[in-house]
Amino acid sequence: MLNTVIYDGPAGTPLLIAHGLFGSARNWGVIAKRLSVTRPVIAVDMRNHGQSPWHDSHAYADLAGDLADVMDRPMDVLGHSMGGKAAMVLALQAPALVRRLIVADIAPVTYTHSQDGPIEAMRRVDLAGISSRTDAKAQLSELEPGVAEFLLQSLDMTARKWRLNIDVLAAEMDKIIGFPEIAGIFEGPALFLSGAQSDYVQPEARPKIKTRFPKAKFAKIPGAGHWLHAEKPREFEAAVAAFLA
């Protein structure tokens, strides 16, 4: 069972939040707390991340099954990037569990970029020789701005280890950047919310999205890139709240 962080709210349809690659439930704490003003919110650590169990597989069918195991009733589901793909697979495979779907800056397509760079950077950190996060950050200096700080949220300084199953994530990278060939259509309301400065959801992906999610609506947050919830949290929160309302 996935590790969950629950934010109590008024009675209503709960919102389940699935984070992206290398993330965790804690990354969503501020937004989850704000959204819990109107409903219960459940943020999860995906498998091989955070405090959730480690497995040898990181296929989207498995990630979607993990989400289904957390749900004791139909819920609204929000997923970013990797979590967005898992949320889409859940909606396609078990549509009765998903009332409304929000997919943040990702499409049901295979991407060509890999995330092997951050994985190799984390592997190079001398965990036994560091005494602070500052030491670890100095060893991640070749990464793009902001990436080191993001990764360090998954560093357990007490145990001197990453809260990420790096070996499996590397071995399963083709599955993570891909999207499975699965049948199914989700007929419920769906919002595909992108960063206006991101290139993750291209116009040519929209027909494929509409085929799988015929009620899909599209919106962009000005000034935001792929990490739209971190770069423009207030605008992101407002867009999600308006859709759920």
Side-chain angles (χ1 to χ4, degrees), residues 47-48 53-59 62 165 167-169 171-172 175:
R47 65 167 54 199
N48 298 315
W54 287 13
H55 299 275
D56 290 336
S57 168
H58 206 79
D62 296 322
N165 192 348
D167 291 340
V168 166
L169 295 177
E172 298 279 85
K175 294 177 182 176

Side-chain angles (χ1 to χ4, degrees), residues 132-214:
S132 67
R133 292 182 187 276
T134 301
D135 294 341
K137 183 179 178 181
Q139 296 184 38
L140 295 169
S141 59
E142 75 277 16
L143 294 173
E144 294 180 8
V147 176
E149 290 84 353
F150 172 66
L151 295 177
L152 287 171
Q153 294 183 49
S154 291
L155 177 60
D156 184 340
M157 281 299 302
T158 301
R160 293 291 197 280
K161 68 176 185 179
W162 295 102
R163 296 192 187 95
L164 298 164
N165 192 348
I166 295 174
D167 291 340
V168 166
L169 295 177
E172 298 279 85
M173 188 57 67
D174 285 347
K175 294 177 182 176
I176 295 171
I177 65 175
F179 193 79
E181 292 292 336
I182 57 174
I185 296 176
F186 177 67
E187 299 280 1
L191 173 65
F192 283 74
L193 185 60
S194 303
Q197 296 180 349
S198 171
D199 61 359
Y200 273 68
V201 183
Q202 294 292 325
E204 53 266 30
R206 288 195 175 193
K208 180 171 286 190
I209 292 171
K210 292 293 285 187
T211 298
R212 299 288 190 91
F213 307 92

